[in-house]
Amino acid sequence: MLNGDSKSGGQRTRETDVREPGTDAGGSDLLRVLERLREQHRAEPYPAVATRRKLLSALERLLEQHSAELARAVAADFGHRSVHDTRLGDIWLPLSQIRYLRSRVAVWAQPEHRAPLWVFRPGRARVVYQPKGVVGIISPWNYPVMLAISPLAGALAAGNRVMLKLSEHVSRTSELLARVLERELPHEFVQVVLGGAEVGQAFAELPFDHLLFTGGESVGRKVALAAAKNLVPVTLELGGKCPAILQRGFSVERFAARIVQGKCYSAGQSCVAPDYLLVPRESVSQVVEQLQARVKQCFGTLRDNPDYSAVATPERKQRLLRLLDEAVQKGASQRVFNPADEVLDQSQKMALVALWDVPDDASVMREEIFGPLLPIVPYDTFDDALRYVNARPRPLALYYFDEDGVRIGRVLTETISGGVTINDTLLHFLCDSLPREGTGASGNGAYFGRRSFETFSHSKSVFLQSRFSGVGTFAPPYGRFIEWMLKNVLRA
């Protein structure tokens, strides 16, 4: 673990070796760790599938053995977080991903045979997947275990060495995760880095063979610019304002139930949480009433309810309150869903609040919310709803509620988003076999499932020429035969 008690090649990096993270000394220490991992990669550039599966099994054991400890650390970092939110999102989900990767990596690692163009036969074509080398991963605070372990598992399944930068905003979780990763995984494969923004900047500037970042758009831009200095390929998972569209005729009660579950999971602090609702104009009041009923059904109380998570820090809660106050001052109406009318001023918890009649220039309509505020935007026609979505930056997720296959098809073809769930929320993001992929401002590149293996692998095209080949007939000097071939056979 760097910036504390790192080991690399069996030698511990002392805290005094990284006195000033982000300075030349700190950057040099990071570079030395990278170079040692690169030497390990050169010594064993193609780890056996058995080795990769062993590493994935170690990750699995780590999560199984430390799940309760990790859940307590996350809860402490958040002020309060539902243990079930953590066990589902931060423990079960990466465990499911690890098991999925381990069961398939032997097949994915095999060369893929491709059909060559007929004129090149009997030569053969194939794609060979090679580890890229040393991969950098920068994980965020909102799912501090899952968003570190899931990409780490993908990079290891592809046969890479990994430097993992954990979030400084969840220090208890990051320090615990660093300790158990260091203890359970070979140092020649994984090195963990701790530190603040300066360390993160130095980390992003390292000449990795691939860099994955999960976080906000503003920091994502800085990461992409830092990586560009070394032409490092980057995968960015950013987020954005994810819409949920209710179609006329769909059950408002069912819609409200799915929205409350998706929005209240971890207090809305998910990059794919529903950010705002698009509902038929005449249904706004009904939607508000059903949301309130569903919140009361799921959470009879908030302040001491172990199932209701807190906003991660007082500063983030204050930001959300500022967004709410500004919207109301600009003329928005609000409904606070606080079933027991509890006072939450001294708590990091915050009740879900629905907003409507919100002006477009309000910050809550322009910034990713990342918390329990839920603007409701009325629309008149189906086409109006699609135009509203398409006039804004492309979201990481879109949710559409309808039973009509034709309209569902139009949503899928006429809007662009990282992913879509029909008649529910979040689920496309949780499915092992589907990639996580942003588009536009919500990110670029993909990982998860097979796409993790592909993202962290170099797909090398290989052509194997046969002893018997007619390619020589295409060599100069050109004559009548090549003219005949171009005109009558190749039609060029």
Side-chain angles (χ1 to χ4, degrees):
M1 179 175 65
L2 199 63
N3 194 24
D5 53 351
S6 175
K7 291 181 181 178
S8 180
Q11 183 175 0
R12 182 177 296 272
T13 300
R14 301 184 307 276
E15 185 172 359
T16 53
D17 292 333
V18 193
R19 292 182 296 274
E20 297 178 313
T23 65
D24 290 341
S28 297
D29 284 326
L30 290 171
L31 187 59
R32 282 196 294 271
V33 173
L34 171 62
E35 288 303 323
R36 285 196 289 267
L37 286 174
R38 185 156 282 141
E39 289 171 6
Q40 297 286 349
H41 169 69
R42 293 190 189 106
E44 187 185 10
Y46 196 87
V49 168
T51 300
R52 305 181 199 188
R53 296 182 69 175
K54 183 177 179 181
L55 292 168
L56 293 173
S57 294
L59 272 182
E60 181 183 28
R61 288 193 304 273
L62 177 156
L63 289 179
E64 290 174 340
Q65 294 172 3
H66 297 279
S67 61
E69 199 177 353
L70 287 165
R72 288 193 296 270
V74 173
D77 281 323
F78 273 60
H80 171 74
R81 196 203 202 185
S82 163
V83 66
H84 295 98
D85 282 357
T86 298
R87 288 177 64 187
L88 284 169
D90 265 316
I91 305 298
W92 169 75
L93 192 56
L95 276 174
S96 177
Q97 179 66 185
I98 289 166
R99 293 160 183 163
Y100 182 83
L101 292 167
R102 188 180 56 203
S103 69
R104 289 162 173 80
V105 65
V107 174
W108 295 341
Q110 296 299 312
E112 291 185 357
H113 296 278
R114 304 290 174 86
L117 193 63
W118 67 269
V119 294
F120 300 144
R121 294 175 184 169
R124 293 165 292 158
R126 66 180 61 162
V127 174
V128 176
Y129 290 100
Q130 291 182 293
K132 285 191 171 180
V134 183
V135 169
I137 297 171
I138 303 176
S139 63
W141 59 266
N142 60 322
Y143 290 93
V145 181
M146 184 266 288
L147 291 175
I149 297 298
S150 289
L152 172 61
L156 293 176
N160 296 281
R161 271 67 180 177
V162 180
M163 286 180 69
L164 173 61
K165 166 65 175 72
L166 298 175
S167 174
E168 68 274 23
H169 300 297
V170 280
S171 58
R172 298 173 183 85
T173 306
S174 292
E175 289 168 7
L176 171 60
L177 191 57
R179 287 197 300 272
V180 295
L181 283 169
E182 182 186 48
R183 186 166 62 242
E184 302 295 338
L185 294 180
H187 305 133
E188 62 268 24
F189 277 94
V190 178
Q191 287 283 311
V192 180
V193 176
L194 298 175
E198 291 182 339
V199 172
Q201 177 69 26
F203 188 94
E205 292 176 352
L206 293 173
F208 293 112
D209 298 298
H210 195 98
L211 178 63
L212 182 142
F213 168 81
T214 304
E217 180 183 344
S218 61
V219 179
R221 292 178 185 274
K222 295 177 182 178
V223 168
L225 287 172
K229 296 177 182 178
N230 293 302
L231 297 179
V232 174
V234 178
T235 298
L236 301 174
E237 184 191 313
L238 303 179
K241 298 188 71 63
C242 303
I245 307 171
L246 171 66
Q247 179 55 244
R248 286 179 175 88
F250 191 88
S251 167
V252 175
E253 181 180 1
R254 182 180 167 195
F255 172 75
R258 309 325 301 155
I259 293 300
V260 168
Q261 183 167 355
K263 186 66 170 179
C264 290
Y265 185 82
S266 195
Q269 296 166 110
S270 305
C271 56
V272 289
D275 193 274
Y276 66 95
L277 310 182
L278 279 163
V279 305
R281 190 173 301 277
E282 70 277 9
S283 300
V284 171
S285 61
Q286 185 183 4
V287 167
V288 172
E289 296 302 325
Q290 288 296 330
L291 289 170
Q292 179 166 309
R294 185 62 179 179
V295 170
K296 184 176 181 179
Q297 182 180 354
C298 291
F299 310 102
T301 63
L302 303 181
R303 187 179 57 201
D304 299 320
N305 190 332
D307 294 334
Y308 194 77
S309 295
V311 176
T313 65
E315 294 76 17
R316 290 189 175 91
K317 182 177 179 180
Q318 287 304 312
R319 171 187 171 269
L320 292 167
L321 292 173
R322 286 195 299 270
L323 292 178
L324 175 60
D325 290 343
E326 182 205 32
V328 172
Q329 289 171 11
K330 286 178 176 286
S333 299
Q334 64 172 317
R335 176 77 67 86
V336 180
F337 304 134
N338 187 348
D341 293 324
E342 296 166 288
V343 176
L344 302 175
D345 294 348
Q346 303 304 313
S347 168
Q348 281 179 222
K349 292 189 176 182
M350 181 176 175
L352 179 65
V353 183
L355 295 163
W356 61 98
D357 298 329
V358 187
D360 283 342
D361 64 346
S363 298
V364 75
M365 299 304 299
R366 294 183 288 107
E367 300 177 14
E368 184 179 8
I369 294 171
F370 229 70
L373 300 179
L374 188 59
I376 301 175
V377 179
Y379 73 85
D380 294 310
T381 69
F382 177 62
D383 287 339
D384 289 340
L386 297 188
R387 278 193 291 268
Y388 189 92
V389 172
N390 288 331
R392 284 151 180 79
R394 294 171 178 174
L396 185 59
L398 183 147
Y399 306 112
Y400 182 61
F401 293 79
D402 192 1
E403 302 291 357
D404 183 83
V406 173
R407 286 193 297 262
I408 291 172
R410 285 193 59 192
V411 169
L412 295 177
T413 57
E414 296 179 27
T415 64
I416 300 178
S417 60
V420 177
T421 293
I422 302 297
N423 297 337
D424 214 317
T425 62
L426 311 184
L427 297 185
H428 71 280
F429 199 72
L430 309 180
C431 185
D432 284 333
S433 57
L434 293 177
R436 295 176 177 179
E437 183 167 9
T439 177
S442 65
N444 61 60
Y447 79 103
F448 217 64
R450 171 145 193 168
R451 286 301 295 274
S452 278
F453 179 85
E454 293 172 345
T455 290
F456 297 123
S457 297
H458 169 59
S459 52
K460 179 184 289 185
S461 298
V462 178
F463 188 89
L464 296 91
Q465 181 60 285
S466 170
R467 178 183 300 180
F468 307 101
S469 172
V471 172
T473 60
F474 295 93
Y478 299 122
R480 292 181 179 179
F481 176 73
I482 192 64
E483 287 289 339
W484 179 85
M485 284 287 292
L486 286 167
K487 180 178 179 180
N488 297 288
V489 179
L490 303 178
R491 296 186 176 182

